[in-house]
Amino acid sequence: MTQFLFNIVGFDLDGTLLDTSGDLAAAVNHALTSVDRPALSVEQVKPMIGGGARHMLKQGLTATGGYDEAMLDTLHARLLAYYEANICVLTRPYPGVVDALNALAAKGVTLGIVTNKIERFARTVLGELGLIDRFACILGGDTMSESKPSPMPIHEMVRQCGGGRAAFVGDSIFDIQAGQAAGLPTVACSYGFLMQPVEDLGADAVIDGFDTLIPTLEKLGA
């Protein structure tokens, strides 16, 4: 068997491995409706995901009438409390994700996660889905002093995963910029929570589903 050319593959979480949109939209709407703002659809919330909960809430408030910092602080706390209590109601792995993770592990690849989600939330949802033990490293948006698009957490992921040749897979501009700044080949997911057309992200490759992830990585590693 030909040796796989990446020692490490890192992933974003929301919109890449997991479809968290239903639970995140519910949390945003809990915060919005608590101050008599209109609820947003899941499709409206999807492009707001990727920069962390506060960033998502800012966009939701802007779309429904604006905000000041005091309101943002209050509603951010409200959103987080609701989300933590309802973190895995609708959330599921995307089709093909579990099979692809199994296949990568069988090839001896070490897997890591770098997300802008709060680390304890990332660990909770992965634990509830039975996936947490698959990852040697889980870094959240609050784990380090900087989050994506900074390359700092990508470098730390590589270090914690034992070093070696690595690639990073994500769905947002934050993911691709962070991976590129860290000097890693990047793969963008066209099905994720896109803020712009996937072609505009500038990734080294694009996948429409996890069934093509390993062949895509093999081409990038060649």
Side-chain angles (χ1 to χ4, degrees), residues 23-42 44-46 48 53-68 71-72 74-80 82-83:
D23 291 329
L24 288 172
V28 169
N29 286 331
H30 174 77
L32 292 177
T33 57
S34 74
V35 290
D36 297 322
R37 296 291 181 87
L40 301 172
S41 69
V42 173
Q44 286 175 298
V45 173
K46 278 184 178 181
M48 302 176 182
R54 192 176 181 91
H55 172 83
M56 179 175 63
L57 180 59
K58 280 183 182 181
Q59 293 180 85
L61 286 168
T62 298
T64 57
Y67 65 92
D68 58 32
M71 174 185 282
L72 180 61
T74 298
L75 295 186
H76 183 226
R78 200 168 290 170
L79 183 157
L80 293 180
Y82 180 91
Y83 184 61

Side-chain angles (χ1 to χ4, degrees), residues 14 25 49 51 56 71 83 91 107 137 180 219:
D14 299 53
I49 301 169
M56 179 175 63
M71 174 185 282
Y83 184 61
T91 293
K107 293 177 180 292
C137 169
Q180 290 176 337
K219 289 178 183 177

Side-chain angles (χ1 to χ4, degrees), residues 158-184:
V158 173
R159 187 190 72 80
Q160 289 193 22
C161 287
R165 195 175 186 193
F168 194 71
V169 183
D171 68 304
S172 79
I173 190 66
F174 303 114
D175 301 322
I176 303 308
Q177 287 179 344
Q180 290 176 337
L184 272 58

